Amino acid sequence: MIDRDTQKRIVDMAAGREPADLLITNAKILDVFSHEIVESSLAVGAGRIVGMGDYEARETLDAKGAYIVPGLIDSHVHIESSLVSPKEFARAVVPHGVTTIIADPHEIANVRGLDGIRYMLDATRDLPMSVYIQLPSCVPATGFENSGAVLRAEDLAQLIDEEYVGGIGEMMNYPGVVAADKDVLDKVYLGISRGKVVDGHSPAISGRELNAYAASGIKTDHECSTVEEMHERLRQGMYVLIREGSAAQDLEALVKGVTDRNFRRCIFCTDDRQPEDLLTKGSIDNNIRKAVRLGLDPVLAVVMASLNAANCYGLKGKGAIAPGWVADFLLVDDLADFNVRQVYVDGVKVAENGVTSIKLADADDSTVTDTVHIQPVTAKDLEIKLPCPRANVISMLPHSLVTKAEVRDVRPDDMGLFQSRNNPGLLKLAVVERHHAIGNVGVGLIENYGLENGAVATTVAHDSHNIVVCGDNDADMLAAIKDIEAMGGGITLVREGKVVCHLPLPIGGLMSDRSAEEVAAQLKSMVEIAYRDFAVNPENEAFMALSFMTLPVIPEIKLTDQGLFDVRKFDYISVCAE
């Protein structure tokens, strides 16, 4: 909100009585209201757009024919999934034109509760971008797992009126919403009672269930994977967030459903994106480029990435190039390749030619470190007894968070225990509770991950972020768990009891304290090793795909620290299928 004196100065600049701070000449300005390209100069002052046309200014920049478009808005992202701190996340995405994000910190909240959310608020307050925090609605995601905290509506109420709290994060407990569960609806009501947005997460539901979900006041959904799902939600008055992340990539399917009639309710998000993708392919600019390649009109793509998102989240003054609007804008070479030359936030240049041009300060992370606390895990904890010849198996699907529940024939050893060597294609999966050292270890079987002669473990395990470990032998799985504990969280690859490589993630067991470039380089090396030396299936992202095998709100079957979980039944099932 500007003060009265600033308002007068902006009006004086717009009227030509006072020079603007900056005049950008020889530009092509995208009007997101009329969808016109206006060849003109753009005047900027006091952090706002002053006007278009001939103005005097203290500084002049020749755009040399570049397009000026509104700053891009990522409508749903988990900073933690970038594996870097908020500062490093900003340094990675701002040069790609992202000037505003809607961040849901439910990863760090599942580890550290309100302290985790406060850390994110503090760490994002002085970044060269606007960060609006959606208070996590599902900590834990369900009652079928143990997380580091439990947040109820009364807990979230402590933060709901903070300036940069935009509303309530994705409501993954859709069965609770549909059943009108009091605790669930209390969180939804907390958001709508303050006039703030409540985000959705409703994969595969339709009909009356979807009616009930939308009727609760939930406004968005980023879990559509088909045009049919997308159109049904649009008919319910919801906004559809078209996701293009590192693991979940829905844009190619959904962009076919965007039309001149419905595009106003369609916006872009990344959800979960790893550091190398952010640094090389970009963020929402990548969504725009891909959508245009697939046939979407470039102007509509930019509108979806700016004005539509601002309208959805009530970001007044953002998302357009117009007098009085916030001066968040980009200079790009063209609207198809969308190469970002310069990025301005509040009228100040913050990035140029792919590099952030202002210094970013470190944030205090002392409240979100030292987060791995486990009971000693033994081979006995990893045993899977098979008193039957058939087992329930988590079947991974290529490039998808969704899994299939399959029943496979299995051959136990002489002791009646599962061994991978006797069952080609099947691996052991375990989830170890790591927040309060209560000793829970859930075990199950998984196929299509493809690991051979070793183990992979990580504390990035959505959404409760316990330790998830996959392997074809218990010794390496145990060694991987020990390395995770020693690092205080991270990702590790182990073979013959030795750590082949690892990536420490000391901030909540989710984020590194190193630069985005360092993390990207180490992760890239580890992914290559996983595919080349450990025979991980290249149709799945080596580590991120594994981290979603613990998320009991994505169909059809997952594993938590409490056991194998059938998402369709929303209840535990035995590994034994008979």
Side-chain angles (χ1 to χ4, degrees):
M1 176 68 70
I2 59 174
D3 58 33
R4 181 67 180 80
D5 291 340
T6 303
Q7 180 199 33
K8 181 180 183 305
R9 181 167 175 250
I10 292 170
V11 172
D12 284 340
M13 286 187 285
R17 290 187 292 269
E18 179 180 336
D21 294 336
L22 173 66
L23 183 68
I24 304 176
T25 62
N26 298 320
K28 300 172 183 174
I29 303 167
L30 173 56
D31 180 354
V32 293
F33 301 113
S34 68
H35 299 184
E36 295 176 293
I37 305 296
V38 181
E39 295 190 14
S40 179
S41 297
L42 182 71
V44 178
R48 300 291 171 129
I49 304 296
V50 169
M52 288 177 259
D54 294 328
Y55 281 92
E56 293 184 4
R58 296 176 177 85
E59 179 185 354
T60 300
L61 171 70
D62 187 347
K64 298 179 180 178
Y67 288 83
I68 297 180
V69 303
L72 308 182
I73 300 173
D74 191 337
S75 57
H76 177 73
V77 63
H78 305 288
I79 293 175
E80 305 97 311
S81 292
S82 70
L83 306 181
V84 296
S85 66
K87 178 191 81 169
E88 286 299 312
F89 177 84
R91 200 167 65 81
V93 304
V94 167
H96 287 281
V98 177
T99 60
T100 300
I101 65 171
I102 310 299
D104 184 342
H106 71 208
E107 321 297 357
I108 195 70
N110 269 284
V111 177
R112 277 290 195 243
L114 290 179
D115 282 344
I117 302 172
R118 291 189 180 103
Y119 163 73
M120 296 300 279
L121 282 166
D122 291 341
T124 58
R125 188 162 283 120
D126 297 319
L127 296 177
M129 64 190 303
S130 297
V131 179
Y132 296 91
I133 298 294
Q134 298 290 95
L135 300 180
S137 65
C138 297
V139 179
T142 70
F144 299 93
E145 55 194 320
N146 287 288
S147 65
V150 175
L151 296 180
R152 297 183 171 85
E154 55 265 33
D155 302 310
L156 301 180
Q158 298 178 46
L159 297 175
I160 189 67
D161 295 318
E162 291 276 335
E163 180 182 4
Y164 283 99
V165 168
I168 303 296
E170 56 179 306
M171 178 50 74
M172 294 179 287
N173 188 356
Y174 53 86
V177 175
V178 174
D181 178 270
K182 180 182 183 302
D183 289 340
V184 172
L185 291 189
D186 281 350
K187 294 175 183 177
V188 176
Y189 186 75
L190 176 65
I192 62 176
S193 69
R194 298 302 206 280
K196 297 189 175 187
V197 174
V198 182
D199 278 321
H201 173 116
S202 58
I205 68 171
S206 62
R208 287 186 176 180
E209 287 186 329
L210 184 60
N211 289 341
Y213 193 75
S216 72
I218 292 171
K219 192 173 183 179
T220 73
D221 192 7
H222 62 276
E223 289 294 336
C224 297
S225 58
T226 68
V227 169
E228 291 74 19
E229 288 179 338
M230 172 185 177
H231 285 171
E232 186 175 13
R233 281 149 182 77
L234 292 174
R235 288 193 294 270
Q236 307 291 349
M238 301 175 76
Y239 279 87
V240 170
L241 283 52
I242 299 177
R243 172 174 57 190
E244 189 70 7
S246 290
Q249 300 174 2
D250 302 312
L251 190 149
E252 184 170 358
L254 298 185
V255 75
K256 299 171 185 175
V258 179
T259 71
D260 290 342
R261 295 183 178 184
N262 67 20
F263 81 95
R264 285 292 187 189
R265 308 292 287 190
C266 300
I267 53 184
F268 289 128
C269 76
T270 61
D271 198 2
D272 298 289
R273 202 150 173 81
Q274 293 198 332
E276 183 182 11
D277 287 341
L278 291 174
L279 291 168
T280 59
K281 298 178 182 178
S283 175
I284 296 300
D285 57 323
N286 176 68
N287 291 51
I288 291 173
R289 280 189 293 272
K290 186 169 182 176
V292 172
R293 283 200 310 271
L294 293 168
L296 186 65
D297 179 271
V299 173
L300 294 191
V302 173
V303 173
M304 288 165 58
S306 55
L307 182 63
N308 288 5
N311 286 342
C312 174
Y313 287 94
L315 307 181
K316 295 180 180 179
K318 288 183 178 285
I321 308 294
W325 288 58
V326 176
D328 291 354
F329 60 89
L330 325 175
L331 273 66
V332 300
D333 290 332
D334 63 71
L335 300 182
D337 293 336
F338 214 83
N339 177 55
V340 179
R341 288 192 201 171
Q342 294 182 347
V343 182
Y344 289 78
V345 172
D346 292 328
V348 176
K349 185 171 69 176
V350 296
E352 185 170 18
N353 296 326
V355 179
T356 305
S357 55
I358 63 174
K359 187 176 181 180
L360 305 182
D362 291 320
D364 180 8
D365 60 18
S366 59
T367 60
V368 288
T369 54
D370 186 25
T371 62
V372 178
H373 308 285
I374 66 174
Q375 290 278 10
V377 181
T378 68
K380 189 76 173 175
D381 296 314
L382 301 180
E383 287 183 354
I384 298 178
K385 295 181 179 180
L386 292 173
C388 59
R390 292 169 66 75
N392 290 307
V393 172
I394 301 170
S395 184
M396 298 181 74
L397 300 177
H399 309 296
S400 177
L401 310 186
V402 173
T403 55
K404 293 292 290 181
E406 299 286 3
V407 175
R408 301 297 187 209
D409 294 333
V410 287
R411 293 176 55 203
D413 65 12
D414 294 340
M415 302 294 292
L417 303 177
F418 173 85
Q419 302 292 347
S420 289
R421 64 177 179 268
N422 297 336
N423 297 274
L426 296 182
L427 297 167
K428 191 178 290 186
L429 189 70
V431 177
V432 180
E433 189 279 329
R434 63 102 166 180
H435 302 291
H436 306 293
I438 63 177
N440 277 13
V441 180
V443 290
L445 300 178
I446 190 168
E447 67 178 9
N448 298 331
Y449 186 58
L451 181 70
E452 294 179 5
N453 301 320
V456 177
T458 177
T459 42
V460 182
H462 301 285
D463 277 320
S464 290
H465 296 291
N466 290 302
I467 299 171
V468 59
V469 55
C470 183
D472 65 356
N473 70 89
D474 292 351
D476 283 341
M477 293 176 71
L478 291 171
I481 293 168
K482 288 181 180 178
D483 187 47
I484 289 289
E485 184 179 20
M487 286 191 291
I491 306 170
T492 188
L493 282 164
V494 172
R495 170 166 287 164
E496 296 180 354
K498 297 180 181 179
V499 176
V500 175
C501 53
H502 67 200
L503 174 63
L505 300 172
I507 304 175
L510 303 170
M511 294 173 279
S512 173
D513 54 3
R514 293 154 56 190
S515 72
E517 289 82 2
E518 289 178 281
V519 174
Q522 176 66 1
L523 188 63
K524 181 179 181 181
S525 174
M526 291 179 65
V527 168
E528 290 172 352
I529 291 170
Y531 291 145
R532 183 188 66 233
D533 299 339
F534 284 72
V536 170
N537 184 353
E539 289 192 334
N540 291 307
E541 204 289 326
F543 305 118
M544 185 177 281
L546 185 64
S547 74
F548 282 99
M549 296 303 102
T550 62
L551 185 55
V553 292
I554 298 287
E556 294 177 343
I557 183 172
K558 296 293 189 289
L559 182 70
T560 78
D561 67 303
Q562 298 184 35
L564 195 61
F565 190 78
D566 190 321
V567 183
R568 301 162 302 177
K569 299 177 181 177
F570 228 65
D571 203 357
Y572 304 111
I573 59 173
S574 171
V575 176
C576 180
E578 295 182 2

